Amino acid sequence: MKNFYLIFFLFSFFACKEDFAFKKETFYLLPNTRNWKVDTKKYEKMSFESSTNENIMLDLAYNREEFSPSKTTVAGIPTKIAKYERITQTFNGLGNSFSITMDGFDEPLGNMVSVHLNNIGFSLKFSNFELFNVSNNNQSFTNPNYSGVNSSKIQSIVKFESDFKVNEKVFPQVLVFELKDGKIEDLEVDKIILAPLVGLVYFKTQSGVEYWRVNI
């Protein structure tokens, strides 16, 4: 009986420790996901000029790499600790904000890239290149393949485009997002284009005003 109490005490002691679990896993970002991280050594600022001669400057406000822990317990006993690699970058300007987050989840999600520009956002599941969700001015559109809800298919479009030219510089590959879900007002962004390591290089409003990256 003494041995039983000793074993119970030792088990309870280690179970209370924050990092105790029977199984530990770490999920890292894949190289093709990490490639969308903005090289902030070169680009602490993003400057744009519009087709209406408006200038916009976005400054680096947040840049963090971390591992977000998640613990699974059964009957109060920690059975699994998972750590997910995450990179978050945010650039802010007067009335404008751009952010990109890369997450190294486990399956069925896998690696995810989430992008927000002002009130528009989307998350892309990289393993099968499919939109996970889309947000449009507090409206949320979820993919029924992953959400488990009886919702309609996301109408927005995401694709790769080759040889995209911005101010005389040609990018061999860019990521293009076109907003098709929800009501879109004239001044709202309906197209976003990203380049690896550079970040946001182009966006367009519903009314047709285009914004081109200058400092590239």
Side-chain angles (χ1 to χ4, degrees), residues 17 19 23 27 31 41 72 75 91 122 127 132 148-149 151 176 179-180 188 193:
K17 295 184 68 174
D19 60 349
K23 185 177 181 181
F27 297 92
K41 291 182 179 179
T72 301
F91 295 79
F122 67 93
S127 62
F132 180 76
V149 299
S151 59
V176 181
L179 180 65
K180 303 288 184 181
E188 292 166 358
I193 298 182

Side-chain angles (χ1 to χ4, degrees), residues 58-128:
L58 301 177
D59 295 308
L60 180 64
Y62 186 86
N63 185 28
R64 184 170 181 177
E65 298 187 34
E66 59 187 337
F67 286 86
S68 300
S70 174
K71 181 182 288 188
T72 301
T73 60
V74 177
I77 301 172
T79 58
K80 177 182 175 181
I81 290 179
K83 292 183 179 181
Y84 306 99
E85 186 175 13
R86 164 176 283 192
I87 298 175
T88 305
Q89 298 178 305
T90 302
F91 295 79
N92 292 332
L94 293 175
N96 295 284
S97 179
F98 166 77
S99 69
I100 183 167
T101 302
M102 291 137 278
D103 284 295
F105 295 122
D106 53 346
E107 295 301 331
L109 294 182
N111 277 204
M112 190 95 68
V113 173
S114 300
V115 174
H116 280 86
L117 178 58
N118 297 340
N119 296 321
I120 308 302
F122 67 93
S123 293
L124 174 63
K125 187 173 179 287
F126 251 73
S127 62
N128 60 352

Side-chain angles (χ1 to χ4, degrees), residues 38-40 43-48 56-60 89-93 98-100 194 197-201 212-216:
V38 179
D39 184 354
T40 54
Y43 306 112
E44 286 193 349
K45 298 178 182 292
M46 295 184 183
S47 57
F48 298 85
I56 290 178
M57 178 71 76
L58 301 177
D59 295 308
L60 180 64
Q89 298 178 305
T90 302
F91 295 79
N92 292 332
F98 166 77
S99 69
I100 183 167
L194 309 172
L197 302 177
V198 179
L200 184 65
V201 293
W212 301 86
R213 181 79 169 268
V214 177
N215 63 325
I216 50 175

Side-chain angles (χ1 to χ4, degrees), residues 157-200:
I157 298 169
V158 64
K159 61 184 178 179
F160 282 129
E161 186 174 315
S162 58
D163 300 327
F164 185 78
K165 189 176 182 179
V166 182
N167 290 326
E168 304 306 319
K169 180 168 182 175
V170 178
F171 293 96
Q173 186 182 67
V174 294
L175 179 65
V176 181
F177 169 78
E178 295 182 49
L179 180 65
K180 303 288 184 181
D181 293 286
K183 184 179 179 181
I184 312 171
E185 302 292 345
D186 283 350
L187 297 179
E188 292 166 358
V189 174
D190 68 354
K191 188 172 184 178
I192 297 171
I193 298 182
L194 309 172
L197 302 177
V198 179
L200 184 65

Side-chain angles (χ1 to χ4, degrees), residues 9 49 55 83 99 135 203 209:
F9 171 78
E49 185 175 319
N55 294 310
K83 292 183 179 181
S99 69
S135 58
F203 60 99
V209 179

